[in-house]
Amino acid sequence: MIFLQHNNRDHRPAIMLRLLILRSVAIAMALSVLLVFQFYLQRSLLYPLLYGVVFAAVVYTLVTLLRLRQATAVRDMELVLHLLADAVVVVLLVSFSGRATNPFIYYLLVLVAIASAIFLRWVAWLFALLAVATYTLLLYFDLAEHMHHLFSDFQLHLVGMWINFVASTALLTLFVSTMATALRDREVSLANEREKALQNEQLIAIGTQAATTVHALGTPLSTMAVVLGDMPATNPDVALLQGQVDRCKQTLSQLSHIAEKPLEPEVVSVAQLVDELQEHYHLYSPISVPEFKVPTAVAALQIRRTQRLNPAVINIIDNALRAAQQLVIVSADADEDFVRLLISDDGDGVPATQARHYGKLSADVSYKGLGIGVFLANTTVEQMGGRIVLHASSQMSAKTPRRGLQHTVVAIELPLLKGA
């Protein structure tokens, strides 16, 4: 079960270490106070019991230190129990050394503040209620035991301390929890903005390199077209090369067109998008054509796209074709908000290290072409309000002989144009 706030879930060992340090400081202070009371002030207290509690806290701290050196992950429940254990130590120490009149009872407020900062709000309020209930119970025992000889002013003083404790606990829990949530949201927002800024820098660098490549390849392609035009047209190899050169020139022309004009969005149906994808593969890659499966109800739905969407989807399909053993399926479904293009293949799948960085530029993006192309595709879809999700499935198609194979499925989610 999860108790920590989202931004603290990756820092569980560090949180436990800080709790350990805080506990060590509190133990040192408690031991110092006990020694002063016993040998300097010479007050009568249950020193064997109090020293026993301190010794148990020391042992518990050493056990915690050894546990941190283990490779086992720290769980949320452990942190909750550690904070409760610290509260129990404080309550035991003050219960046998003045109860509610002992000012060290206010150390519970420190633990309340910690709970409010690291745990979910309902856990923080539950801890605050336990602290108030504990203080109230100690105060009740004090009043019941000394009621016959307490002056009314001192009774009012104790009641005032109780009100102060309750108010302080409530304010700490409320404001610390609110501040922790606000800081968490701010960190998430800053992280998203940093990621967008980095993404834009990468796009600018890639765009600059693409523009340079367009100009650099123009002259060699023109030269190849002239040389091939002088060769016999009846030669099938010459015809193939001419077709490939024309395709390269067409691609460069499209890149120049995109760079010169803004990417005006247009409204298309899913059926139109799929038809364009089928036409592309029948024209340019007749040997490797994916299997398209689009339900009629989904085909009629409409989306808003830019000129970069088709190349982005084609890039993802091309990766699936390169990775597939026998079959690539392009299907579609939809919900109230998104249309999903599902591109699945029966290949060996994407390694876990690649899956974690899918769609992002990283140092390890060379696996079967999963690099700049996927990054650009992911950026295009995100700028349209969608996303690309990589996952695995164990069912492929009736045509797939290898049943039960874990294969790669890439879901391209595009915002559905509502009311169309």
Side-chain angles (χ1 to χ4, degrees), residues 44-51 96:
S44 178
L45 295 174
L46 297 175
Y47 290 108
L49 178 60
L50 294 174
Y51 283 125
F96 298 99

Side-chain angles (χ1 to χ4, degrees), residues 228-240:
L228 289 172
D230 295 336
M231 295 183 178
T234 55
N235 190 330
D237 293 334
V238 172
L240 177 62

Side-chain angles (χ1 to χ4, degrees), residues 53-72:
V53 172
V54 172
F55 177 75
V58 171
V59 172
Y60 187 58
T61 302
L62 293 176
V63 171
T64 304
L65 181 60
L66 294 176
R67 188 260 176 276
L68 277 177
R69 295 186 176 183
Q70 297 177 355
T72 310

